[in-house]
Amino acid sequence: ETGVTQTPRHLVMGMTNKKSLKCEQHLGHNAMYWYKQSAKKPLELMFVYSLEERVENNSVPSRFSPECPNSSHLFLHLHTLQPEDSALYLCASSQEPQNGFLRVFGQGTRLTVV
Amino acid sequence: KNEVEQSPQNLTAQEGEFITINCSYSVGISALHWLQQHPGGGIVSLFMLSSGKKKHGRLIATINIQEKHSSLHITASHPRDSAVYICAVSTNSGNTPLVFGKGTRLSVIA
């Protein structure tokens, strides 16, 4: 148990579906992150929420829509995805500024778009 | 060219061997991370360092700021060490995104 829980662990969805990924942290952290890990590519930061406010989104396509209702929960809403969006989506949290850059990662959701 | 380069990309070792994974970066940093990603996808932070050397069990991480280089060493390797090891750096404080290397896939054979 890492303290950061992601659900579901695996998801297969069609290009016309709408689904959501969920992340929950039990560490009392004040910042949460969504990362995308595609095959043979470095991890890419998608979104950062600090104190429930989005601070960075790195030009992610609008078919990915994050939501952070409180400091413990983070969602990634997905709609009309493309097959190239198939990847491992990782959530992480940290306590800023005290922890600097030390992030705790969830187990990830492996997404397949068909 | 990625700002963070790791070598080797793949590494196979016999149980008990001493392992070194290297990370070079091309930007000024304030911290460097070593992460371990297990086959199921979960990622664990191993070290965060900005100078010198850190040790945890059989793992040792070193960094040379002047040479912009870090190494992760595993002593007395074991099959359970098989994972992808990822180097990441950050150039500023706060929530600036980490820049990740592509990872080194390590397989330790009994």
Side-chain angles (χ1 to χ4, degrees):
Chain A
E1 173 59 52
T2 65
V4 178
T5 305
Q6 289 186 241
T7 55
R9 292 295 309 279
H10 301 272
L11 177 63
V12 179
M13 60 185 288
M15 288 190 282
T16 58
N17 291 159
K18 287 185 182 181
K19 296 285 184 184
S20 295
L21 309 185
K22 181 182 176 183
C23 177
E24 190 172 355
Q25 59 99 357
H26 313 281
L27 302 167
H29 287 171
N30 61 7
M32 296 186 77
Y33 312 80
W34 278 117
Y35 289 90
K36 176 184 177 183
Q37 187 178 39
S38 303
K40 298 185 180 178
K41 286 187 180 180
L43 278 160
E44 303 168 55
L45 178 67
M46 300 176 73
F47 300 104
V48 179
Y49 276 85
S50 179
L51 299 174
E52 299 159 42
E53 212 175 294
R54 188 194 303 182
V55 295
E56 195 155 351
N57 70 358
N58 282 2
S59 302
V60 176
S62 60
R63 56 186 184 268
F64 295 93
S65 174
E67 179 190 0
C68 187
N70 55 61
S71 59
S72 299
H73 294 86
L74 184 65
F75 295 90
L76 188 63
H77 303 300
L78 316 170
H79 63 97
T80 59
L81 294 192
Q82 304 298 311
E84 59 264 29
D85 296 322
S86 298
L88 180 69
Y89 289 85
L90 288 152
C91 173
S93 70
S94 67
Q95 180 63 22
E96 303 300 332
Q98 293 94 311
N99 273 13
F101 317 103
L102 187 62
R103 285 156 173 80
V104 179
F105 286 86
Q107 295 289 312
T109 296
R110 187 161 298 281
L111 172 68
T112 304
V113 181
V114 297
Chain B
K1 182 173 160 61
N2 205 26
E3 292 172 308
V4 178
E5 294 286 345
Q6 287 185 237
S7 64
Q9 289 187 356
N10 295 283
L11 179 58
T12 300
Q14 293 291 324
E15 183 175 359
E17 282 187 18
F18 180 84
I19 289 164
T20 296
I21 299 171
N22 296 300
C23 175
S24 296
Y25 51 91
S26 57
V27 294
I29 70 165
S30 49
L32 181 142
H33 288 258
W34 281 103
L35 309 170
Q36 180 190 54
Q37 185 171 28
H38 294 284
I43 292 180
V44 175
S45 288
L46 298 175
F47 296 103
M48 179 178 70
L49 65 166
S50 54
S51 65
K53 174 180 172 178
K54 286 191 176 181
K55 185 176 188 292
H56 186 255
R58 295 180 294 107
L59 301 177
I60 304 167
T62 64
I63 187 168
N64 185 318
I65 298 295
Q66 287 74 30
E67 294 185 4
K68 295 188 175 179
H69 180 269
S70 175
S71 293
L72 176 68
H73 305 286
I74 305 175
T75 61
S77 60
H78 190 276
R80 64 175 175 267
D81 296 326
S82 299
V84 175
Y85 292 85
I86 302 170
C87 173
V89 302
S90 183
T91 58
N92 291 297
S93 59
N95 291 318
T96 302
L98 299 178
V99 180
F100 293 86
K102 291 186 178 181
T104 295
R105 185 174 298 279
L106 171 65
S107 297
V108 180
I109 301 169

